[in-house]
Amino acid sequence: MANSTDAPRGFMLALVALIATVMTLIGMVSWPVVLGVGALSIPLALWYFLVMRKRPKARPILNHSRSYVGYFLLLILTLQLIRFWEASSWVEAGAKWVLVFGVCWFCISRMRAFAIRDRLKDAHERHL
């Protein structure tokens, strides 16, 4: 039940790919191209809205675990530090994209796993 209340993995995969693409293109191409690619988040948000309105509502988590917060901070730190790497060729851009995608997918999948675990733990400890 806890898995069915989260966003589908396909949505998360598309979101991570979009984030990695935008972070890679910053500094390589002009800003209108970056904003055009970033505009793909609009249909992604629409997809999320249409999928999530049919799913049951998730139980609110009272407190996230330290592991969840640690992976969230690692995700933010990665996105900030990747801005220091200016790719000068498309080969470097490809390597940058693979690195950003890999780290972001790892962090988001671990955050999802810990959120589900915390939701289940909270459900068992809650008194009615």
Side-chain angles (χ1 to χ4, degrees):
M1 181 67 180
N3 274 334
S4 67
T5 59
D6 282 343
R9 283 203 180 271
F11 170 79
M12 290 179 22
L13 184 68
L15 180 66
V16 170
L18 184 65
I19 290 170
T21 304
V22 168
M23 294 302 291
T24 301
L25 291 178
I26 292 176
M28 287 209 55
V29 297
S30 64
W31 276 103
V33 174
V34 173
L35 292 176
V37 172
L40 291 173
S41 63
I42 295 169
L44 198 60
L46 183 64
W47 177 31
Y48 179 77
F49 173 73
L50 292 175
V51 166
M52 293 307 288
R53 72 180 183 157
K54 296 177 184 174
R55 290 184 174 219
K57 289 196 175 203
R59 177 186 295 271
I61 300 173
L62 298 178
N63 291 320
H64 285 290
S65 65
R66 289 183 181 163
S67 301
Y68 180 92
V69 174
Y71 284 114
F72 178 74
L73 291 176
L74 178 64
L75 177 67
I76 297 299
L77 183 67
T78 299
L79 292 178
Q80 291 299 320
L81 289 178
I82 204 67
R83 295 290 310 269
F84 291 119
W85 181 7
E86 292 290 332
S88 59
S89 69
W90 287 104
V91 173
E92 284 184 25
K96 182 178 178 179
W97 187 90
V98 168
L99 178 71
V100 172
F101 181 83
V103 172
C104 288
W105 180 254
F106 174 74
C107 289
I108 287 179
S109 64
R110 297 305 302 158
M111 286 170 56
R112 178 182 175 165
F114 282 111
I116 290 171
R117 187 196 70 184
D118 294 341
R119 190 176 301 130
L120 291 173
K121 180 181 173 191
D122 183 49
H124 290 296
E125 292 179 358
R126 201 174 205 169
H127 298 288
L128 297 175

